[in-house]
Amino acid sequence: MDEQRLRALLESVRANTTTVDAAIHELRHLPFETIGDFARLDHHRALRRGFPEVILAQGKTPEQVAQIFGRLAERSNRVLATRVSVEMYAAIRDRLPEAIYHPLARLLYLDRSATQNRLDGIVVASAGTADMPVAEEAAITAELTGSRVERIYDVGVAGLHRLLDQAEALQRARVIVVVAGMEGALASVVAGLVAAPVIAVPTSVGYGANFGGLSALLTMLNSCANGVAVVNIDNGFGAGYLAGVINHLGRTTDGA
Amino acid sequence: MDEQRLRALLESVRANTTTVDAAIHELRHLPFETIGDFARLDHHRALRRGFPEVILAQGKTPEQVAQIFGRLAERSNRVLATRVSVEMYAAIRDRLPEAIYHPLARLLYLDRSATQNRLDGIVVASAGTADMPVAEEAAITAELTGSRVERIYDVGVAGLHRLLDQAEALQRARVIVVVAGMEGALASVVAGLVAAPVIAVPTSVGYGANFGGLSALLTMLNSCANGVAVVNIDNGFGAGYLAGVINHLGRTTDGA
Amino acid sequence: MDEQRLRALLESVRANTTTVDAAIHELRHLPFETIGDFARLDHHRALRRGFPEVILAQGKTPEQVAQIFGRLAERSNRVLATRVSVEMYAAIRDRLPEAIYHPLARLLYLDRSATQNRLDGIVVASAGTADMPVAEEAAITAELTGSRVERIYDVGVAGLHRLLDQAEALQRARVIVVVAGMEGALASVVAGLVAAPVIAVPTSVGYGANFGGLSALLTMLNSCANGVAVVNIDNGFGAGYLAGVINHLGRTTDGA
Amino acid sequence: MDEQRLRALLESVRANTTTVDAAIHELRHLPFETIGDFARLDHHRALRRGFPEVILAQGKTPEQVAQIFGRLAERSNRVLATRVSVEMYAAIRDRLPEAIYHPLARLLYLDRSATQNRLDGIVVASAGTADMPVAEEAAITAELTGSRVERIYDVGVAGLHRLLDQAEALQRARVIVVVAGMEGALASVVAGLVAAPVIAVPTSVGYGANFGGLSALLTMLNSCANGVAVVNIDNGFGAGYLAGVINHLGRTTDGA
Amino acid sequence: MDEQRLRALLESVRANTTTVDAAIHELRHLPFETIGDFARLDHHRALRRGFPEVILAQGKTPEQVAQIFGRLAERSNRVLATRVSVEMYAAIRDRLPEAIYHPLARLLYLDRSATQNRLDGIVVASAGTADMPVAEEAAITAELTGSRVERIYDVGVAGLHRLLDQAEALQRARVIVVVAGMEGALASVVAGLVAAPVIAVPTSVGYGANFGGLSALLTMLNSCANGVAVVNIDNGFGAGYLAGVINHLGRTTDGA
Amino acid sequence: MDEQRLRALLESVRANTTTVDAAIHELRHLPFETIGDFARLDHHRALRRGFPEVILAQGKTPEQVAQIFGRLAERSNRVLATRVSVEMYAAIRDRLPEAIYHPLARLLYLDRSATQNRLDGIVVASAGTADMPVAEEAAITAELTGSRVERIYDVGVAGLHRLLDQAEALQRARVIVVVAGMEGALASVVAGLVAAPVIAVPTSVGYGANFGGLSALLTMLNSCANGVAVVNIDNGFGAGYLAGVINHLGRTTDGA
Amino acid sequence: MDEQRLRALLESVRANTTTVDAAIHELRHLPFETIGDFARLDHHRALRRGFPEVILAQGKTPEQVAQIFGRLAERSNRVLATRVSVEMYAAIRDRLPEAIYHPLARLLYLDRSATQNRLDGIVVASAGTADMPVAEEAAITAELTGSRVERIYDVGVAGLHRLLDQAEALQRARVIVVVAGMEGALASVVAGLVAAPVIAVPTSVGYGANFGGLSALLTMLNSCANGVAVVNIDNGFGAGYLAGVINHLGRTTDGA
Amino acid sequence: MDEQRLRALLESVRANTTTVDAAIHELRHLPFETIGDFARLDHHRALRRGFPEVILAQGKTPEQVAQIFGRLAERSNRVLATRVSVEMYAAIRDRLPEAIYHPLARLLYLDRSATQNRLDGIVVASAGTADMPVAEEAAITAELTGSRVERIYDVGVAGLHRLLDQAEALQRARVIVVVAGMEGALASVVAGLVAAPVIAVPTSVGYGANFGGLSALLTMLNSCANGVAVVNIDNGFGAGYLAGVINHLGRTTDGA
């Protein structure tokens, strides 16, 4: 029920041309969700101000992606599309030159907000170089939520010293995204070193009994360390977004 | 938002003690769902008139089951509890002697409606005698929805003649529930014989590579026959309920 | 045993040139199924009158598909082929220009019946735009069974307000097909809102621990809502067909 | 390397009784971890001050649990043991009467801190009554981390109105734990309603193709809503702990 | 359609009291299967003469098993019940003292045929002593089909010499049943040594990544040796029965 | 140990130039397997006379396949290569024009034996046209073992009448190969109709929860009908070979 | 072929009472394996001197275990039985008082060899206290192979400092057994710290998505560290035995 | 903390310009791992002297592989890259002509050490020709660790005599790598013949229920033979490396 209809109904009640009973009846049978929806959207907008509008490009045509991205770019300072192919980017490049394409992370984004206002506090750590696409997807997403991201890559548990060399940086973080394929043990080891919440992203990197990321997923779910939660295999976006949300908790920010 | 509050608000608008803007604001920020909820519940009640109230007893204490069942029995002519243990029944037997317990199907139910008003049209077919608990769960549930049920048991595909002997009864049905464990092939064979919709229930009956009903589940999902849909393993209740819903489509009934 | 042979045998019994014992013997040893088959086919034809003849094109050559489709088009007003590739369509386009190809849903069909005779009552709801191919496969199939279909797309549970805005339309339906990938939660939420039977179609849309549609499949099978049954992953045809069958229950139709 | 040894070594360098080369050599070959370990522990202590010491009782004998719990109770105001059986509790009841045992959640805990200092901000929502043991494990754990917890139970998606009635409370939360078995769809629906991070706990509640919680786990991992991360099946402790950690971010607290 | 009804119909045709058209109509609409069924049963009886009547006791009550077994014992010389518990046997022991119970193989059987008429040709080989229950189920079943069985037990592939010592006996066999749990490699090795068909029975013996017999099942299905087919996990009966059927091919036997 | 060496050793013993002890020692430490191997090969050759030599082409280069095939063709009247690609066939076509390539079944074979000597008794039945490549692999393989094969295709259980029309042919068979994908129910239905052993071949035909043939595999393993054994998914060769072996049991043949 | 028969045959050749051709024939057709078997056993005995005789008690009766253990104890200084229940031990306790029962590891063993001759070089490390039964099974088994074992328990990766404190001991080892459940990450971390071969034992310790040890198994198989191999879930014996074998490589020992 | 900084700090303590307390503080808060890392690296270098530097090429660009390989080739006599594509090799061929590319095993390596110093003792055995790429990966890797490798290929268990012909060579080995796909039974059979440790490599060779190597993996994990450990599917490198490590135990070598 849009505001015009609601206002008209209430005016009519006030003018005594609609009885209270009739108004109650109408309120009950109109599409009720609209009212609640306004409330919720307002509420959300307040909380998520400055967060990007997000498009999952996978399964859409290049033209569809270009159109949706373009429309969002007209009304928002931060727009993000995930799982974007080169063909999709080609469809938007000329129309919207300010859009940036990151081929490794398969992200297409636009950020007109001031980067100096970003909140620090997020670390994205990854186990191997082959995990970098997912790690970058997480890192760029988190940046678009208005956070600064420290990248600590190639610190797999088989070479513990490289990880331990970064212990201080890890311990400074407010929230950590850990990206790892193969055996995925990095999440447990990092969570054992820090007090911050750890968001673990299993990747499909590996072969054989990796089963498309299942091994790393199970490892992370079964972590014996406290403070770890897991997102879907290769879901760098999800982890970066959640890290951004958590990083904004308890902060006052003027971003976007 | 309950009706009293809504009425008071509208009266206040009418009396001019609340402005239209204030009323709009309040409508937006009050728990909006209640309004819609009333509407939806009314709508549902009309559609589901005569359908039983249902309790999933599994995971509740005997006392909890007894209390919930008792309260529902005060306001409804048909009450059904599924996955009821003997201990749960013992907790209610004396308090509500009219409740009937079916130990094989693990159902506890009460039906004060006139059974002569039941709509015919449902057949429940099962493959082996070990599938009978699930088949009975489906059949009794369907009866409590106000349908008459014809039971055709022990007609597994390894003895095709027993099934074919029942072809006429199957072809008369408006909707058929097929219950089968082991290889679960009965659903495909029945669906190939009839025009009615078939609701397939895989059971966990079997051993070895049955994997707790997975084999029958996959068989039924992959049915090459048209007109088959599947419910969860051992979910006789779900199939019986859905069969009842389908059987009432296009009928006018005075049940319950 | 075709009718000619059967008639000849019975005439011979009547003429006393065949003894009753010999006739019994012959009846027993001739391919007995034919008799029953006639009965069954007649029975089916009455029930399914107006339903399309269906071809599963997958695994056939373009030439085979074209030939079978052509033969069926000679004797039936409604023909449907599923999982049709562009190459298969190319093989039939010139021979049968009235055949329509829907590349997204990969359906090839022909419908000479009057669309105004279609029965309303079916809603096809889908969660995301990437589920649209499967949803369209379901919707077009249902239309070919002689039903009108209301499409409610892109109402995934993460944006509940879009779904609730369509609550009225959902509650009007006699039978609902819900198509969803990823977590597949839409089926439960819709089934909780309506009294109509819900046929759930998991799709393989998603990635990672989606495991080719397994996540949505399990979600739908484990639905806590009453009145849900599930078809195979991506099986839009099966759901649309079953919805059509259910929608015709209790109706008198002059279709086809 | 404990501080005494390190100090002695440095004093010896200062006193010129150890050469710099010899000191470097010794520093390299002593158990190097101890140094870092002190640093890390200090760091942790600052961050996690007031958090409980935790024991996983599963796989230990009652006597072992009692002894470890007793020792921790001597030096900490908050002690928590998870997966505690009645037998284990019996072993400690008399020795430590102030310990509280929660049989449903199988938690044994002791909390001498002032509950009025708890930070609000955490909601624990669960789908069905059978999910309550896991939900309580999460809620009590979160309370022991120094947070206040609002419990919103029995709001499964099949009865959406009950959930929507709580929309306001959900939208007030800083962090939400969602506990659900069967199809586990609650996490997506809640995450679609709020801006706060959602920690999803799949439970093993259900039967058939639930496969011990796998269905809910996959649903949650594949959530189409932003801002969801998942912990292990039935891991209420893990979710409650992580919620506590997140809830303390950006807060100054004097707890414990 | 039983013979009486069919005969009456034909007599009536002959007597001219039923027209040929009416008879054709009746033949088509009567339960047609009965005719075919008679034919098939006769055919089967000739082929399977002397084979036992079989009851799957699992999922039946002791009383049910006792009654069915008793009835079959009245009309057959060989009766076999599988998966029989001690309680089931207790229910029949006094009523039918000639029935033999094999607790390890969980078989209850009765064999009044002359054992000297058994056909030789079957070997049952098993890998470990823990596989013996399944091996005995296979061996006794095969004996009840009228074959003599040579048992070669405890010849697992880790001690190849024990197996090779039996090479001659294996090479003499017409059909071999191989029973093995754990890695199940025995089937391939035996099939490589002989020209006879090998029926492989995976058992659930083992632990860990055995997954209830899955490891042996997959091993046997993937056998690189020619001439191996597999039955369900722990399905000694199925293998023994099939071996009996194969062993009778091309033989003339006066058994039973 | 080849015969020359063995003969030399024994001559030397006879000539007293080698002591018995030295001969025993040498016999023990020479590659002992050779002796046994001769015996076994002879034994096999007698039994399998006329059976083809078989090459698994998959994983070999075209040149390797051509060379091995050519060598075998020099010394054997029947040669069979499975999983042969078009490229592999191209490598041998000119060198060995009498070799026949069956692109659907991906078989390359050569058969110089007289086809009139083939033993009848084998039926290969398949459920759908998409199962034909595997069915043909089985049928041609069985023919190369010296059997005649009756093909009964496209008799899936969803159209039971087509199958029942072939009941007589099925009941005449000595051994039946059943090839089916999707739900794989055909094996159970056929085994229920006949007394002959049934070798079931699951195929990977299907989609969705078919999981590459797993659904049909599990269906067949869990068959409730007696007399069924299963080979690997898509393993038409294995089934045809085994059927040939079984069909030769108890026969005297002059083939090859 | 035992030595007596072989000797008699050769004597007969020498005495010219058997022709060379006849001897060759006899050698070929006698059970050839025996010869090789002697050779192999001798060979093995030399290599494995001092290794224990091993019994897998699981699936045997207490009396069987007692008898086999007793017989082996008569001829061997080291006997080991694995998976031994208390009941099994009770059957042997009085008969063989020197046998030692370890209830946690479920091992029954007897070792009359001098423990001072044991070779050092093996470390058994475990992640949690609940992994101790499997770790002890590995450690005791390794000791019975004649090695000394250093136990490093409770060094899970969530508390890295405890593990690093033991780095020196780990780096001294010639071969390391790593026992871990839950996420099983310890194997990778240890292998990254040392140059010695690591034998990883996943345990079934954990819950939820641990799936009976599958999570730890996959983690270990996918280890990104070099030098790791894996044994079956909970297979402490297998790891301890293999560690013993490896530890003896290149050593001269007088043990046992 | 590099040595310069450490030395400066200690000099400063000695010079009394830094207090002991300040030095302790600095030592604690500097990246502590560096100290330990030096120690560990030294330790490793001693142990692994002569072992190759290894690069996992998968997931890197050809240019990245070429650069890393080139850098390592400057400071090491043995460099190995695994999973190298032809494109990667093309990028390095001209720059480093001495690098050798093995297209089957997908290895790129460089070995300037003297091959005559290699330690013998390793056998790599494989079941089928299709397993050769993985077997070669293992063999070449083992050679690069400084061992001589005896290759025993195409000795699958279905032709046991070919394997037994090689028994002597197998029994001479100090450590054996067994490579097998399909049912993977070779590992158990080999381990039963020898006393040496067996490292089993399952391959993804096969089809159907092979499930990408899962069948061979489970077979090998469940081996009933003692002395077997398993690496990941297709992980020839891992097995060859571990075999090399084990083969060097107890040897003094001057290699590299």
Side-chain angles (χ1 to χ4, degrees), chain C residues 43-58:
Chain C
H43 181 63
H44 274 197
R45 201 161 298 146
L47 254 165
R48 290 191 165 154
R49 190 182 29 168
F51 272 50
E53 304 270 358
V54 183
I55 308 156
L56 174 57
Q58 190 179 29

Side-chain angles (χ1 to χ4, degrees), chain A residues 168, chain D residues 20 24, chain H residues 1-12 26-27 29-31 34 38:
Chain A
E168 216 177 347
Chain D
V20 166
I24 288 174
Chain H
M1 187 179 210
D2 59 28
E3 187 170 338
Q4 286 70 17
R5 282 180 73 186
L6 183 58
R7 180 174 300 274
L9 178 66
L10 291 171
E11 300 281 11
S12 162
E26 187 162 358
L27 281 169
H29 288 83
L30 286 173
T34 316
F38 282 176

Side-chain angles (χ1 to χ4, degrees), chain F residues 3 6-7 10-11 13-14 16 18-21 23-24 27-29 32-33 35-39, chain G residues 3 6-7 10-11 13-14 16 18-21 23-24 27-29 32 35-39 42:
Chain F
E3 187 169 339
L6 183 59
R7 180 174 300 275
L10 291 172
E11 300 281 11
V13 168
R14 183 178 220 166
N16 241 336
T18 299
T19 66
V20 166
D21 279 344
I24 289 175
L27 281 169
R28 274 193 187 145
H29 287 84
F32 58 87
E33 300 77 9
I35 301 174
D37 185 35
F38 281 177
Chain G
E3 188 170 339
L6 182 59
R7 181 175 299 274
L10 291 171
E11 300 280 11
V13 167
R14 183 179 219 167
N16 242 336
T18 299
T19 66
V20 165
D21 279 344
I24 288 175
L27 280 170
R28 276 192 185 148
H29 288 84
F32 58 88
I35 301 174
D37 185 36
F38 281 176
D42 285 347

Side-chain angles (χ1 to χ4, degrees), chain C:
Chain C
M1 187 180 208
D2 60 26
E3 187 169 340
Q4 285 70 17
R5 284 180 73 187
L6 182 59
R7 181 174 300 274
L9 178 66
L10 290 171
E11 300 282 10
S12 162
V13 167
R14 184 179 219 165
N16 242 336
T17 55
T18 299
T19 65
V20 166
D21 279 346
I24 288 175
H25 182 268
E26 187 161 357
L27 282 170
R28 275 193 185 145
H29 288 84
L30 285 172
F32 59 87
E33 299 77 8
T34 317
I35 301 174
D37 186 35
F38 281 177
R40 192 167 62 74
L41 281 188
D42 285 347
H43 181 63
H44 274 197
R45 201 161 298 146
L47 254 165
R48 290 191 165 154
R49 190 182 29 168
F51 272 50
E53 304 270 358
V54 183
I55 308 156
L56 174 57
Q58 190 179 29
K60 297 195 173 65
T61 66
E63 183 54 32
Q64 284 178 313
V65 172
Q67 285 192 6
I68 303 174
F69 197 97
R71 275 204 306 275
L72 291 178
E74 290 168 13
R75 68 174 202 236
S76 174
N77 276 331
R78 287 173 176 159
V79 183
L80 172 62
T82 65
R83 313 245 154 185
V84 177
S85 66
V86 173
E87 290 71 27
M88 292 169 178
Y89 174 49
I92 200 164
R93 195 168 26 192
D94 295 336
R95 278 184 258 183
L96 203 64
E98 65 181 323
I100 300 171
Y101 182 59
H102 193 298
L104 192 66
R106 290 194 292 157
L107 294 179
L108 177 74
Y109 58 96
L110 175 154
D111 188 358
R112 303 193 190 99
S113 63
T115 62
Q116 68 270 28
N117 288 332
R118 288 185 180 155
L119 297 171
D120 54 13
I122 296 181
V123 164
V124 173
S126 73
T129 48
D131 298 317
M132 234 177 75
V134 178
E136 275 302 301
E137 187 183 295
I140 295 173
T141 299
E143 288 169 347
L144 287 171
T145 66
S147 291
R148 254 191 297 279
V149 173
E150 183 166 3
R151 288 157 171 85
I152 301 180
Y153 288 176
D154 213 7
V155 288
V157 300
L160 211 53
H161 56 288
R162 288 180 303 185
L163 176 64
L164 294 180
D165 279 344
Q166 303 290 341
E168 217 177 347
L170 290 165
Q171 289 171 351
R172 262 196 321 263
R174 275 170 59 98
V175 52
I176 300 174
V177 174
V178 173
V179 180
M182 300 180 84
E183 89 270 64
L186 185 60
S188 290
V189 174
V190 167
L193 290 175
V194 304
V198 170
I199 304 166
V201 192
T203 74
S204 55
V205 168
Y207 57 88
N210 171 283
F211 296 126
L214 183 63
S215 61
L217 172 61
L218 293 183
T219 301
M220 289 167 167
L221 284 170
N222 285 282
S223 175
C224 55
N226 297 332
V228 181
V230 186
V231 297
N232 198 358
I233 297 164
D234 290 337
N235 189 6
F237 163 74
Y241 190 92
L242 182 54
V245 170
I246 293 173
N247 195 36
H248 277 71
L249 289 179
R251 301 284 188 85
T252 51
T253 149
D254 305 309

Side-chain angles (χ1 to χ4, degrees), chain B residues 31 33 38 55 57 60 78 99 112 133 138 145 198 201 203 209 219 231 250:
Chain B
E33 300 77 10
F38 281 176
I55 308 157
K60 297 194 173 66
R78 289 172 175 159
R112 301 191 191 102
T145 66
V198 169
V201 193
T203 73
T219 301
V231 297

Side-chain angles (χ1 to χ4, degrees), chain G residues 12 17 22 35 37 39 55 100 143 153 162 183 185 193 196 202 208-209 222 226 229 254:
Chain G
S12 162
T17 55
I35 301 174
D37 185 36
I55 308 157
I100 300 171
E143 288 169 347
Y153 288 176
R162 287 179 305 185
E183 89 270 63
L193 290 175
N222 285 282
N226 297 332
D254 306 308

Side-chain angles (χ1 to χ4, degrees), chain F residues 167-230:
Chain F
E168 217 177 345
L170 290 165
Q171 289 172 351
R172 263 196 320 263
R174 276 170 59 97
V175 54
I176 299 175
V177 174
V178 173
V179 180
M182 301 179 83
E183 90 270 63
L186 185 60
S188 290
V189 174
V190 167
L193 290 174
V194 304
V198 170
I199 304 166
V201 192
T203 73
S204 55
V205 168
Y207 56 88
N210 171 283
F211 297 126
L214 183 64
S215 60
L217 172 62
L218 293 183
T219 301
M220 289 166 166
L221 284 170
N222 285 283
S223 175
C224 54
N226 297 332
V228 181
V230 186

